[in-house]
Amino acid sequence: MNIAALHAAYAMGHESPEQVVLAIYSRIEAEGVQPVWISIVPREKALARAKALPAEDKSKLPLYGIPFAVKDNIDVAGMATTAACPAYSYLAAESATVVTLLQQAGAILIGKTNMDQFATGLVGTRTPYGICSSVFDKRYISGGSSAGSAVAVASGLVSFSLGTDTAGSGRVPAMFNNIIGLKPTRGVVSTNGVVPACRTLDCVSVFAETALDAALVLSVAGAYDEKDPYSRAPETGDGASPWAAATSFRFGVPAAATLEFYGDHFNPQLYKTAVEALIALGGTPVEFDLTPFLQVAQLLYRGPWVAERYAAISTFIGAHKDEMDPTVAKIVSGAANYSAVDTFEASYSLETLKRATKPVWNTINMMLLPTAPKTFTIEEIAEKPIERNSILGHYTNFVNLLDLAAVALPAGMRPDGLPFGVSLIGQAFSETALLPIADKLHRNLAKTLGGSNRSLTDAPALAASQPPHGCLLMAVVGAHLSGQPLNWQLTQRGGRLVRTCRTSPQYMFYALKNTTPPKPGLVRIPGFQGPGIEVEVWALPANTVGTFVEGVPQPLSIGTLQLEDGTLVKGFLVEPTGTEGALDITELGGWRRYLQSLK
């Protein structure tokens, strides 16, 4: 049911959106609406939507004919929003911004999915609409709060789904159901039309079978929204990830003393295997102390942020507490124990902890953590609903408080037949850089898609974007090359070498006079057929380019270079006057060969 496979089937005429919709509704009819769904779009309406999609616009609609689901705390016009609490239910007058964007891109909504009530929990059991279980074993929890959204994807009912993620609700269910769970940077996807849990922290998340599908959905859903006061768009250089284009990167692994699996016997080895796989992909592990991150996590449910949950439904809970799930009511009611003073003191603690965690990002590009330490049966959660829920959030609760991005991905199967998962976590706006690495790691650790026996290798891979997010590609030809005297001007700005190649043949190359340190000059001569000049292409964070260019002396300048494969990048050129009296070294094909010729 992955997007690429459906689009291929549509293109070859093997299937149509109407046939796909009919097959989904036949399954729902046979299996029942609950516990996966709270409500579904009437079959006739979904079928009409499929038929109305213009066949000639397939290429213009990135989600043409793709079935999806949304968590039932996300508004859909004309449908009830319950947040898994019947007494809270209301009829939505208009759709959430993200739903509108997806439908405009050609996606077909199937229905609204089950969840932990008011998005309070990581278990998927706090709902009156039936308990979702892992698609691999009905005795085990599906994870929450986005339980039904994860199960709908893992069981092949839809190609992707929307969840929400405040404490890990878009990631923990991904692990327990062997799928991708993307938690974008806060504000990248609009929360307009979403029932808030903690409004300052909430994110709309994406579940999909592959990282490629998640990236495609994000490309549609991630848009600045004036209706959402927390909506954000990255500014120049935000989330710059020059390492994403390099052949090597650094990833953080918790020091052994801060790595916790709560007695689980299988997950430690699977995590070790994931670390080894990421090393094989070019990563260098860097140990770090997870302690301050865990201290941040404690603030979310053991601090005044729980008062935000109360603020979201304060009027309702005052009149309907007895109609709520007892565990949810207990957690949210706990807000009464916190004062304004507590809130400010916790805010001060958070800022102190942010300062403590910041140095870690000077040594790593991303973290690799278990998505959850272990899993539990439905019965075990019932025995200790709050304590065991807290265990599930061990590696997820700090992420939104620290304004980080995360991708949860499958990381192999345990001997007992349950899936394990890991998460790549990066700084704000790094999700587009994390996704291609998550895709490679996914393919190294897993074999099948979701709960099916379909092979992951049959699904297309996700290529890293060029240039990397927040970066500009800069070609250098002389003193800025690796090992040369001005290379520090790139490395100190966070630049990373992408590749070594040559320009197109239309360039002449000169050793300039009276430059310190010695520098060459590159001139494009239309029609000239030379050997092409060796260049290094570097990815440079876009917000550092201005200071880099400011340091370029006459007669050099930054212009546009054409590489041997036709690619256009920025790079060093020389003004025509700079070649007066200069030595033509074109036939040597590069600065290093010229320097060698002087020895």
Side-chain angles (χ1 to χ4, degrees):
M1 188 65 86
N2 65 81
I3 295 173
L6 269 185
H7 277 167
Y10 293 158
M12 292 185 289
H14 294 167
E15 288 201 76
S16 68
E18 301 100 290
Q19 291 172 316
V20 169
V21 167
L22 285 172
I24 291 170
Y25 278 83
S26 293
R27 275 194 58 189
I28 293 173
E29 196 173 85
E31 298 170 7
V33 172
Q34 295 176 0
V36 176
W37 309 92
I38 290 179
S39 61
I40 59 171
V41 174
R43 181 200 299 253
E44 297 74 18
K45 187 174 180 179
L47 193 57
R49 162 71 173 157
K51 291 178 178 178
L53 288 171
E56 65 274 11
D57 282 354
K58 286 181 184 178
S59 61
K60 298 178 183 178
L61 298 174
L63 297 175
Y64 177 91
I66 302 301
F68 77 109
V70 301
K71 187 175 179 178
D72 199 22
N73 59 346
I74 301 174
D75 286 347
V76 174
M79 296 186 74
T81 298
T82 72
C85 182
Y88 179 80
S89 179
Y90 64 88
L91 192 67
E94 59 183 53
S95 294
T97 298
V98 62
V99 173
T100 299
L101 290 172
L102 295 170
Q103 290 178 320
Q104 288 173 346
I108 302 172
L109 181 66
I110 302 301
K112 308 190 73 179
T113 55
N114 204 354
M115 56 183 283
D116 278 322
Q117 193 174 89
F118 294 112
T120 303
L122 292 171
V123 292
T125 64
R126 300 170 181 175
T127 168
Y129 294 99
I131 294 175
C132 288
S133 57
S134 167
V135 294
F136 293 92
D137 191 326
K138 291 189 177 297
R139 297 172 300 167
Y140 284 83
I141 60 172
S142 62
S145 60
S146 308
S149 288
V151 172
V153 172
S155 60
L157 285 165
V158 293
S159 296
F160 74 91
S161 64
L162 299 182
T164 59
D165 189 313
T166 302
S169 297
R171 291 163 280 158
V172 171
M175 170 172 154
F176 294 165
N177 292 283
N178 198 47
I179 57 176
I180 295 289
L182 167 63
K183 189 220 75 71
T185 301
R186 291 191 332 240
V188 164
V189 180
S190 172
T191 55
N192 175 57
V194 178
V195 177
C198 293
R199 195 175 183 192
T200 60
L201 302 178
D202 291 340
C203 298
V204 173
S205 63
V206 178
F207 294 106
E209 288 187 335
T210 67
L212 177 62
D213 283 2
L216 178 57
V217 173
L218 181 64
S219 71
V220 173
Y224 180 76
D225 182 12
E226 286 286 354
K227 295 180 180 179
D228 176 10
Y230 290 96
S231 184
R232 303 158 69 191
E235 298 187 9
T236 302
D238 279 351
S241 308
W243 46 266
T247 56
S248 62
F249 52 88
R250 300 183 305 277
F251 67 96
V253 294
T258 59
L259 191 61
E260 178 64 73
F261 291 96
Y262 293 92
D264 189 276
H265 299 296
F266 301 131
N267 291 351
Q269 180 56 48
L270 287 168
Y271 176 67
K272 181 181 178 182
T273 299
V275 171
E276 293 168 351
L278 199 52
I279 293 172
L281 291 172
T284 298
V286 178
E287 276 201 359
F288 72 99
D289 184 3
L290 192 63
T291 302
F293 294 89
L294 298 177
Q295 290 170 341
V296 170
Q298 295 299 313
L299 293 174
L300 190 60
Y301 278 103
R302 298 182 185 178
W305 271 272
V306 74
E308 261 204 291
R309 294 184 179 272
Y310 185 84
I313 57 170
S314 57
T315 302
F316 175 81
I317 194 172
H320 300 277
K321 183 177 179 180
D322 292 343
E323 297 174 82
M324 293 175 59
D325 177 271
T327 302
V328 174
K330 180 179 179 180
I331 292 170
V332 177
S333 297
N337 298 323
Y338 296 100
S339 67
V341 173
D342 293 328
T343 301
F344 279 111
E345 289 180 344
S347 180
Y348 303 151
S349 296
L350 178 58
E351 292 305 313
T352 300
L353 289 168
K354 283 181 179 179
R355 185 69 59 88
T357 63
K358 191 173 182 180
V360 171
W361 298 106
N362 295 328
T363 61
I364 63 173
N365 304 126
M366 71 195 80
M367 295 177 183
L368 176 68
L369 300 182
T371 298
K374 65 182 302 181
T375 185
F376 295 102
T377 64
I378 293 170
E379 185 177 339
E380 286 170 333
I381 291 297
E383 292 170 354
K384 296 181 179 180
I386 294 179
E387 178 185 332
R388 286 174 174 160
N389 185 96
S390 296
I391 289 172
L392 296 177
H394 186 84
Y395 295 111
T396 60
N397 284 352
F398 66 83
V399 172
N400 280 346
L401 280 167
L402 292 177
D403 197 20
L404 304 175
V407 182
L409 61 124
M413 301 299 292
R414 296 154 45 102
D416 59 5
L418 295 173
F420 177 64
V422 293
S423 291
L424 296 178
I425 301 171
Q427 296 187 79
F429 300 107
S430 66
E431 52 267 22
T432 55
L434 295 175
L435 279 164
I437 295 177
D439 185 60
K440 291 179 182 178
L441 187 58
H442 184 191
R443 292 168 187 277
N444 271 265
L445 297 173
K447 296 180 179 180
T448 56
L449 293 164
S452 74
N453 59 6
R454 289 176 291 118
S455 174
L456 173 58
T457 58
D458 292 337
L462 173 61
S465 61
Q466 291 286 356
H469 174 77
C471 296
L472 180 141
L473 295 182
M474 181 74 68
V476 298
V477 294
H480 289 88
L481 292 168
S482 299
Q484 296 302 306
L486 296 183
N487 184 249
W488 63 269
Q489 294 183 356
L490 293 168
T491 57
Q492 282 195 0
R493 288 171 171 82
R496 292 292 297 272
L497 177 63
V498 176
R499 59 179 170 137
T500 299
C501 57
R502 308 188 81 79
T503 67
S504 70
Q506 302 177 25
Y507 289 88
M508 295 189 69
F509 198 44
Y510 298 87
L512 305 182
K513 291 177 60 180
N514 303 320
T515 56
T516 304
K519 300 180 183 72
L522 196 62
V523 180
R524 181 173 177 267
I525 309 294
F528 178 71
Q529 291 294 306
I533 307 304
E534 183 185 65
V535 298
E536 286 183 351
V537 179
W538 286 69
L540 198 60
N543 58 342
T544 69
V545 171
T547 58
F548 180 77
V549 172
E550 187 178 21
V552 176
Q554 284 186 308
L556 297 173
S557 64
I558 300 296
T560 301
L561 273 64
Q562 185 180 60
L563 304 181
E564 57 189 339
D565 63 359
T567 302
L568 299 177
V569 298
K570 298 302 176 186
F572 281 87
L573 296 171
V574 66
E575 298 172 3
T577 56
T579 62
E580 295 176 3
L583 179 65
D584 183 352
I585 56 173
T586 304
E587 65 179 11
L588 295 176
W591 187 242
R592 287 194 176 92
R593 286 194 63 188
Y594 167 69
L595 294 178
Q596 290 171 355
S597 73
L598 299 178
K599 296 179 180 179

